Amino acid sequence: MLIKEFISETNKNQMIATLLKHYGVGRVKVKLKSMKDHAHYDVDSGVLELSTRYKTIKTRQIKEFLITIIHEINHAMDAKKYGWRKFKEMYEWEMNLQVQQGKDEYDDNKYEIKAEEFGQRGWKRWYNKFKKEGLF
């Protein structure tokens, strides 16, 4: 059914706002940006940048979308917890450590691993909640 194939922008924004508020980072701004990645939390500006590929979301993309948003929210939570400057310093130190050890600065970064696990653990709960609310 074509009507249910896409999630409305209003419903997408409602899901994002609900997640940000629930995790205590409701003041984080969200903006669409053309980028290679699905999303990125810019610690310097406090903006969650969402790929333009998420401008419209198909219902089959919900799981990936939720994991991505929750992953980036975890970075925002760390920035709030430690302060953005301290978190940026900790994150970059971890990147350098991984490079020095011959590992990947992103894939082996403990903050990325933690954020990905957070997204993987949390998506299904929100999927069920948002589906029950009729947001998709």
Side-chain angles (χ1 to χ4, degrees):
M1 177 179 226
L2 188 56
I3 293 194
K4 282 293 192 182
E5 184 178 354
F6 293 97
I7 299 170
S8 75
E9 188 166 352
T10 301
N11 288 356
K12 176 186 74 177
N13 291 341
Q14 184 177 341
M15 287 189 281
I16 293 170
T18 298
L19 290 166
L20 291 170
K21 183 177 179 184
H22 175 81
Y23 290 112
V25 290
R27 292 190 172 189
V28 168
K29 303 290 183 225
V30 179
K31 75 175 193 175
L32 289 172
K33 181 177 179 179
S34 179
M35 64 172 83
K36 161 181 89 124
D37 299 324
H38 290 10
H40 171 74
Y41 177 70
D42 184 333
V43 71
D44 293 315
S45 65
V47 172
L48 194 161
E49 298 170 340
L50 194 57
S51 173
T52 51
R53 72 179 82 185
Y54 283 134
K55 185 171 183 166
T56 57
I57 302 171
K58 293 184 177 183
T59 52
R60 62 180 165 77
Q61 296 174 303
I62 302 260
K63 176 182 175 182
E64 175 187 302
F65 171 74
L66 289 172
I67 291 169
T68 298
I69 293 295
I70 295 168
H71 172 120
E72 297 305 330
I73 285 173
N74 188 258
H75 293 315
M77 291 165 59
D78 282 343
K80 181 179 178 182
K81 178 179 179 179
Y82 298 110
W84 72 269
R85 282 187 180 100
K86 180 70 174 170
F87 177 61
K88 183 177 180 180
E89 181 182 298
M90 292 163 51
Y91 186 95
E92 289 176 352
W93 188 87
E94 177 67 18
M95 286 175 67
N96 291 331
L97 176 66
Q98 296 309 320
V99 170
Q100 288 172 0
Q101 294 177 351
K103 296 180 180 178
D104 187 86
E105 64 188 28
Y106 181 84
D107 292 336
D108 296 313
N109 185 311
K110 69 182 180 182
Y111 298 107
E112 290 302 330
I113 293 167
K114 180 173 83 72
E116 187 59 25
E117 288 172 352
F118 189 73
Q120 292 289 341
R121 274 194 322 270
W123 77 269
K124 192 174 269 189
R125 168 188 177 211
W126 292 104
Y127 181 94
N128 292 333
K129 178 183 179 355
F130 293 144
K131 186 172 186 170
K132 186 176 180 180
E133 292 175 2
L135 295 178
F136 61 89

